[in-house]
Amino acid sequence: AVVSTQSTGGFGAVFAATIATSFMGPSGAMGKGVYALAVYGGVVLFSALLLYQTQQVVRTCERMPSHQAYDPIVMSTGIYMSTVNLFVRILSILSGQKRK
């Protein structure tokens, strides 16, 4: 699968913000901004990735000749991981709203 440089930059920004949040903590103004980038950026990024991966699985299944074996489980592991990451980000957003 070909990954564009824009999505690689998005992954890098979310990854760096997640690492920075663990060192800074979401207490100051800078920490809150980095935390918001990590959480909300992750939701947007993993939602887009989930749509892209689902499209790739469907497209591969449609183009696969009938005489070849198709293993959707292998291709669906990326969808599973994106779903888990998306769930964790949404759970983080919802748990942060209760504390306020």
Side-chain angles (χ1 to χ4, degrees):
V2 177
V3 178
S4 70
T5 56
Q6 292 173 342
S7 65
T8 305
F11 280 121
V14 170
F15 180 72
T18 303
I19 297 297
T21 300
S22 65
F23 290 116
M24 294 164 83
S27 58
M30 181 71 153
K32 287 182 181 180
V34 171
Y35 178 76
L37 176 68
V39 174
Y40 294 108
V43 167
V44 170
L45 187 68
F46 287 115
S47 296
L49 186 62
L50 183 64
L51 292 173
Y52 174 75
Q53 289 171 334
T54 303
Q55 181 185 15
Q56 289 300 105
V57 169
V58 169
R59 186 176 294 153
T60 303
C61 182
E62 288 175 348
R63 293 183 179 174
M64 185 72 61
S66 61
H67 65 276
Q68 283 185 329
Y70 174 66
D71 188 16
I73 303 299
V74 173
M75 291 191 73
S76 298
T77 54
I79 293 173
Y80 172 74
M81 291 307 297
S82 294
T83 305
V84 168
N85 281 317
L86 188 60
F87 176 73
V88 167
R89 305 284 181 185
I90 291 172
L91 190 63
S92 178
I93 290 170
L94 293 177
S95 69
Q97 288 179 353
K98 284 185 176 180
R99 286 188 227 150
K100 292 181 181 181

